[in-house]
Amino acid sequence: MGAVTPYHLLSASEDSNIHVWSLSRLLELGADAGHEPDLTLSNHRGAVTDLVVGPSTNAETSLCVSASTDKTCILWNYQTGQVLRTLLFPSPPLCVSLDASARALFACAEDGGLYLIELFGDKPLVGSRSAELASIVVQVNAPLGVSDVADGPASCLALSHDGTSVLTGHTKGKILQWSLIDNSHPTELANLNASVTNLVYLPLLSPKKPCKVASVVKPNQSQRQYSITAQLEGDFGEDSRFSYMLNSTGLPVDVVESATASVLDSHSGTKEDTRLLKENEELKAIIEEQKELQKATMQYRDGGKAS
């Protein structure tokens, strides 16, 4: 089994080792197909049953998780080889998956249980906020739920894009859906009558490919780089307003009309401002008159009292 990132290839097998290969080294000219991997991760004591890698490619946050028949899942930094944490299950984990942000780990074990491990919860298991040493083994005991014995053990799982449900494929052909909202018993989605080996959600947005590769020339002694010939295809979008005006003969009629309307609107706005200023001046004059009248009234009252 293996996992791929934009820069690395990770492989694992029954020898309990995980090998990390650099894609640039594998593809370079004259590379020996039998050369040693960049790194070997070898803390497991049993066959590796599954391997998943996180989305980050940063050397400090390069996370991968391996499951093994020794009843453990190990969290690694696959670029440095550091063991970040070891999780111990009551039964051997058979398949694992990380959520989209690599903050939670889902694992299906041989006992039929689906387990959820929060990596950065109230008590973070990894990272600078973790209060425990990385060498301390974390016991994982309580599953979210357990599938029926008749369904057989899970061989693969997939997490939905919104993180509200999990699909598990089983050796006896069933595909079960687990709801993470109400934590209810899993429901059967399909029965393929054959072992389910892989489950993948389709991407929400299909990637647009504005070009297609016509030919690829591998490196040779004279040119030590790949040579790729690509062909542009499809429409790259609507013309911009600038492109429309540039390709028109003279000034387009709609542009002239829009400019004229904006000028008229600016004049009407100026007239409105003038009217408001005039009203403000009139109000100020009325207020000043009221002040003078109040002042005269007070003086008259004071004079009457003095007499």
Side-chain angles (χ1 to χ4, degrees):
M1 71 208 55
V4 180
T5 75
Y7 307 104
H8 294 88
L9 171 66
L10 284 71
S11 62
S13 63
E14 294 183 354
D15 64 358
S16 76
N17 292 328
I18 301 160
H19 300 301
V20 182
W21 311 80
S22 171
L23 288 178
S24 60
R25 286 186 57 194
L26 291 175
L27 297 175
E28 69 182 358
L29 178 64
D32 182 7
H35 69 68
E36 295 294 324
D38 294 3
L39 201 63
T40 298
L41 314 177
S42 57
N43 271 45
H44 282 298
R45 298 188 303 274
V48 178
T49 56
D50 201 6
L51 182 66
V52 65
V53 65
S56 175
T57 57
N58 187 289
E60 296 182 357
T61 56
S62 300
L63 174 68
C64 79
V65 183
S66 58
S68 173
T69 56
D70 61 7
K71 298 184 180 181
T72 65
C73 280
I74 298 181
L75 283 64
W76 311 81
N77 183 321
Y78 63 84
Q79 292 200 45
T80 63
Q82 179 185 3
V83 175
L84 303 177
R85 211 60 191 264
T86 301
L87 311 176
L88 180 61
F89 292 81
S91 179
L94 302 178
C95 49
V96 291
S97 179
L98 288 167
D99 69 347
S101 58
R103 297 183 62 86
L105 173 68
F106 293 85
C108 283
E110 198 174 64
D111 59 5
L114 173 65
Y115 296 85
L116 167 62
I117 302 94
E118 293 282 353
L119 304 182
F120 299 94
D122 296 334
K123 295 181 179 180
L125 301 182
V126 295
S128 58
R129 295 177 55 199
S130 177
E132 298 177 336
L133 297 175
S135 58
I136 298 178
V137 177
V138 178
Q139 296 281 345
V140 181
N141 296 319
L144 289 177
V146 180
S147 61
D148 296 333
V149 178
D151 298 332
S155 54
C156 55
L157 66 87
L159 180 65
S160 64
H161 295 295
D162 58 3
T164 59
S165 63
V166 175
L167 298 182
T168 56
H170 295 256
T171 55
K172 295 188 177 180
K174 287 188 177 181
I175 299 176
L176 303 182
Q177 182 178 26
W178 307 69
S179 174
L180 301 180
I181 299 176
D182 53 11
N183 199 21
S184 58
H185 191 73
T187 58
E188 181 180 335
L189 288 185
N191 191 342
L192 305 182
N193 295 321
S195 179
V196 182
T197 57
N198 197 19
L199 287 172
V200 177
Y201 276 93
L202 293 177
L204 295 176
L205 300 175
S206 58
K208 294 182 179 180
K209 297 181 179 180
C211 62
K212 66 177 181 179
V213 177
S215 64
V216 178
V217 179
K218 294 184 177 181
N220 50 49
Q221 295 298 331
S222 60
Q223 183 177 353
R224 302 181 64 86
Q225 295 180 345
Y226 280 85
S227 177
I228 300 177
T229 303
Q231 178 182 350
L232 299 177
E233 59 180 14
D235 187 7
F236 286 90
E238 298 179 356
D239 291 339
S240 64
R241 187 168 181 267
F242 175 77
S243 177
Y244 166 67
M245 295 175 62
L246 184 64
N247 295 324
S248 300
T249 303
L251 289 175
V253 177
D254 57 340
V255 174
V256 175
E257 291 177 351
S258 176
T260 304
S262 63
V263 172
L264 294 176
D265 290 342
S266 64
H267 283 305
S268 63
T270 304
K271 292 180 180 179
E272 182 69 17
D273 293 341
T274 304
R275 185 181 65 81
L276 292 175
L277 288 174
K278 184 178 179 180
E279 290 182 357
N280 287 339
E281 293 297 332
E282 292 176 353
L283 289 174
K284 286 182 180 179
I286 293 173
I287 292 173
E288 291 298 330
E289 290 178 1
Q290 294 295 326
K291 286 183 178 180
E292 292 295 332
L293 179 60
Q294 184 181 14
K295 183 178 179 181
T297 303
M298 296 298 295
Q299 290 177 352
Y300 175 77
R301 288 180 179 178
D302 293 341
K305 290 180 180 179
S307 61

